[in-house]
Protein backbone atom coordinates (compact mmCIF):
# COMPACT_ATOMS: atom_id res chain seq x y z
CA UNK A 1 0.00 0.00 0.00
CA UNK A 2 1.44 3.39 -0.96
CA UNK A 3 0.17 6.60 0.62
CA UNK A 4 0.92 10.05 -0.74
CA UNK A 5 -1.71 12.12 1.09
CA UNK A 6 -0.48 11.87 4.64
CA UNK A 7 -0.30 14.00 7.76
CA UNK A 8 2.52 16.44 8.48
CA UNK A 9 4.13 14.13 11.03
CA UNK A 10 4.88 10.42 11.07
CA UNK A 11 4.68 9.65 14.77
CA UNK A 12 3.96 11.02 18.22
CA UNK A 13 7.52 12.36 18.47
CA UNK A 14 6.79 14.71 15.57
CA UNK A 15 9.04 13.29 12.84
CA UNK A 16 8.25 15.51 9.84
CA UNK A 17 6.61 14.50 6.58
CA UNK A 18 5.99 17.08 3.87
CA UNK A 19 3.51 17.13 1.00
CA UNK A 20 6.27 15.55 -1.16
CA UNK A 21 6.46 12.54 1.17
CA UNK A 22 5.48 9.02 0.24
CA UNK A 23 4.97 6.12 2.63
CA UNK A 24 4.82 2.52 1.37
CA UNK A 25 3.70 -0.36 3.58
CA UNK A 26 4.34 -4.00 2.75
CA UNK A 27 2.56 -6.52 4.94
CA UNK A 28 3.56 -10.16 5.07
CA UNK A 29 2.43 -13.08 7.12
CA UNK A 30 5.77 -14.75 7.78
CA UNK A 31 4.18 -17.69 9.57
CA UNK A 32 1.02 -18.43 11.48
CA UNK A 33 0.75 -15.92 14.28
CA UNK A 34 3.32 -13.41 12.95
CA UNK A 35 2.68 -10.43 10.68
CA UNK A 36 5.62 -8.38 9.45
CA UNK A 37 5.12 -4.82 8.22
CA UNK A 38 7.88 -3.00 6.33
CA UNK A 39 7.37 0.76 6.07
CA UNK A 40 9.41 2.77 3.55
CA UNK A 41 9.51 6.56 3.83
CA UNK A 42 10.71 8.78 1.00
CA UNK A 43 10.53 12.53 1.43
CA UNK A 44 13.32 14.56 -0.22
CA UNK A 45 12.19 17.78 1.48
CA UNK A 46 12.46 16.32 5.00
CA UNK A 47 15.17 13.61 4.80
CA UNK A 48 18.49 13.28 2.97
CA UNK A 49 17.69 9.73 1.80
CA UNK A 50 14.82 7.20 1.96
CA UNK A 51 14.61 4.89 4.96
CA UNK A 52 12.65 1.83 6.08
CA UNK A 53 11.30 0.46 9.36
CA UNK A 54 10.09 -3.01 10.27
CA UNK A 55 7.29 -3.73 12.72
CA UNK A 56 6.50 -7.27 13.86
CA UNK A 57 3.07 -8.10 15.23
CA UNK A 58 2.50 -11.38 17.00
CA UNK A 59 -0.92 -12.96 17.35
CA UNK A 60 -1.84 -13.51 20.97
CA UNK A 61 -4.82 -15.89 20.99
CA UNK A 62 -7.15 -16.09 23.98
CA UNK A 63 -6.41 -12.50 25.03
CA UNK A 64 -8.64 -9.45 25.00
CA UNK A 65 -8.10 -6.77 22.41
CA UNK A 66 -6.65 -3.55 23.78
CA UNK A 67 -8.55 -0.53 22.53
CA UNK A 68 -6.55 2.59 21.65
CA UNK A 69 -8.33 5.87 21.12
CA UNK A 70 -6.25 8.81 19.91
CA UNK A 71 -7.56 11.97 21.46
CA UNK A 72 -6.54 15.47 20.46
CA UNK A 73 -4.48 15.99 23.62
CA UNK A 74 -2.47 12.78 22.81
CA UNK A 75 -1.44 14.08 19.41
CA UNK A 76 0.60 16.97 20.82
Amino acid sequence: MTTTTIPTQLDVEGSPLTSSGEMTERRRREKIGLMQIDIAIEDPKAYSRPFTMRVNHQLMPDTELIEFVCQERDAR
Side-chain angles (χ1 to χ4, degrees):
M1 168 180 23
T2 300
T3 305
T4 52
T5 307
I6 37 188
T8 57
Q9 67 184 43
L10 290 173
D11 52 32
V12 295
E13 283 82 32
S15 301
L17 200 61
T18 68
S19 59
S20 299
E22 183 173 289
M23 178 171 61
T24 303
E25 293 182 43
R26 290 183 177 85
R27 299 168 184 251
R28 289 190 300 267
R29 187 172 173 179
E30 285 293 305
K31 59 183 179 182
I32 293 178
L34 179 65
M35 182 187 309
Q36 194 174 71
I37 304 171
D38 290 328
I39 304 165
I41 305 293
E42 186 169 348
D43 188 346
K45 290 183 180 178
Y47 303 101
S48 59
R49 62 178 189 261
F51 63 95
T52 60
M53 300 173 279
R54 176 168 285 165
V55 179
N56 292 310
H57 289 284
Q58 188 157 356
L59 174 67
M60 297 186 321
D62 301 324
T63 60
E64 291 187 36
L65 290 175
I66 299 172
E67 181 179 7
F68 178 80
V69 177
C70 181
Q71 298 189 11
E72 188 173 332
R73 68 174 189 271
D74 296 334
R76 294 179 191 182

